Amino acid sequence: MSKVFTALSVSVDGYITGRDPGEGRGLGDATMLFDWYFDGDTPSQVFDGFRLSEPSARVFDALAGRVGASLAGRNTYDDSGWIHGGTPHPAAPLFVLSHRPVPGMSDDRQTLVTTGIEDAVAAARDAAGDKDVALMGGGVVTAALAAGLVDELILHQVPILLGGGRPYFQSLPEHVRLRLVEAVPAPGVTHLHYEVLR
């Protein structure tokens, strides 16, 4: 069965955006969370235009190669400009979890799910086939964790304190225990890979 994981860039104080994110503003004042995508000499084998350090390219491409479908929350969808088309992965469809309608969703690689996290993960798993589902956005990640649907957490931790923005994790109903699988230091980022223990 496919796995469900999340792999997001995050500040040391736990934010995945800066202040004032939104459509046309992206991550707000936190674009440095993605500097490591472009500050190296090793081209990504999955994403055109990405040039990472060698250790980051190894981690990034291994994760990107696993993705059979992405699942994002509405804030992430709007902030990233996907309302105008496209998906976060060059070969995988995007599922969007939202209770609000998405006007003009016409990209045939995008699917709106309005019936909750369980249905959204199930639909993404079905589309992913034998590959994995990548979760994007703090609300989606938190809902999936609370529902016991997440297998792995990967934090691409960037050495900065943002002091505000959208957090990676929101309030959870109980503790979630993790096991560190791998920690990979790289220029401008440390890749922390955890297994969710059940």
Side-chain angles (χ1 to χ4, degrees):
M1 178 184 271
S2 65
K3 290 190 174 182
V4 176
F5 74 93
T6 179
L8 302 179
S9 289
V10 60
S11 65
V12 172
D13 53 349
Y15 293 102
I16 55 174
T17 76
R19 294 172 183 84
D20 199 30
E23 186 179 356
R25 297 184 306 278
L27 298 177
D29 65 356
T31 57
M32 75 290 293
L33 290 179
F34 291 113
D35 286 351
W36 62 276
Y37 283 5
F38 308 105
D39 64 2
D41 298 320
T42 306
S44 169
Q45 300 302 303
V46 181
F47 281 73
D48 289 340
F50 284 31
R51 296 188 67 82
L52 308 100
S53 68
E54 186 282 325
S56 287
R58 182 170 37 85
V59 169
F60 180 84
D61 281 351
L63 291 169
R66 293 173 52 184
V67 177
S70 299
L71 170 58
R74 181 61 184 275
N75 286 334
T76 300
Y77 179 77
D78 289 346
D79 293 353
S80 301
W82 295 320
I83 196 163
H84 304 294
T87 67
H89 190 280
L94 171 64
F95 292 79
V96 181
L97 179 60
S98 178
H99 298 295
R100 295 176 282 144
V102 179
M105 182 183 269
S106 58
D107 192 312
D108 62 358
R109 293 181 60 216
Q110 297 181 2
T111 302
L112 178 64
V113 180
T114 61
T115 52
I117 190 66
E118 291 87 353
D119 289 346
V121 169
R125 268 197 160 129
D126 187 54
D130 60 355
K131 291 200 166 188
D132 295 334
V133 174
L135 304 178
M136 304 181 71
V140 160
V141 170
T142 301
L145 281 167
L149 298 172
V150 181
D151 299 298
E152 300 172 26
L153 297 171
I154 295 94
L155 285 69
H156 302 300
Q157 191 177 69
V158 176
I160 189 167
L161 299 171
L162 292 176
R166 289 200 183 114
Y168 199 145
F169 306 102
Q170 299 171 8
S171 179
L172 286 161
E174 58 187 25
H175 295 163
V176 176
R177 298 200 178 275
L178 308 173
R179 182 181 71 83
L180 182 64
V181 175
E182 183 180 37
V184 179
V189 64
T190 301
H191 307 284
L192 301 168
H193 186 162
Y194 295 95
E195 175 189 3
V196 177
L197 300 178
R198 295 193 176 91

